[in-house]
Amino acid sequence: MTYEAVVRVTLKGGVLDPEAKTIQRSLNRLGFGVENLRTADEYVVEIDAVDENEAREQAEEMCERLLANPTIHDYTVEVRET
């Protein structure tokens, strides 16, 4: 079966996010009252797997091996059948 995994990678709390700070300052200059902003990367991956659990395991391994640096990143994985 084919599954779609949506992986969201964010910086852990306490890790500096200069891109987010720049965007936040710009939004505030435009009149938006933004107090906290964090950047995130989102990946959508189609995975061939026997079941949803296997697809989730594959997506999590992708995160551990390439998509995220466990030292500075947190990630979430959502899997659904396509």
Side-chain angles (χ1 to χ4, degrees):
M1 301 193 85
T2 302
Y3 295 87
E4 181 178 86
V6 179
V7 177
R8 171 173 250 134
V9 179
T10 58
L11 289 170
K12 289 185 176 188
V15 176
L16 295 178
D17 190 348
E19 181 181 12
K21 289 297 178 195
T22 300
I23 294 168
Q24 181 180 337
R25 281 193 303 270
S26 296
L27 287 170
N28 285 327
R29 281 190 211 118
L30 291 171
F32 297 100
V34 178
E35 293 185 25
N36 191 16
L37 186 137
R38 294 177 24 179
T39 58
D41 292 322
E42 186 173 276
Y43 303 95
V44 179
V45 184
E46 287 189 9
I47 299 172
D48 289 326
V50 174
D51 58 24
E52 186 175 324
N53 288 332
E54 182 184 325
R56 180 176 305 285
E57 288 175 8
Q58 286 186 36
E60 289 178 358
E61 185 175 348
M62 290 176 198
C63 291
E64 293 293 326
R65 294 180 64 185
L66 179 68
L67 300 177
N69 176 345
T71 304
I72 62 170
H73 293 124
D74 288 324
Y75 62 86
T76 61
V77 176
E78 294 178 32
V79 176
R80 58 182 164 255
E81 190 177 328
T82 56

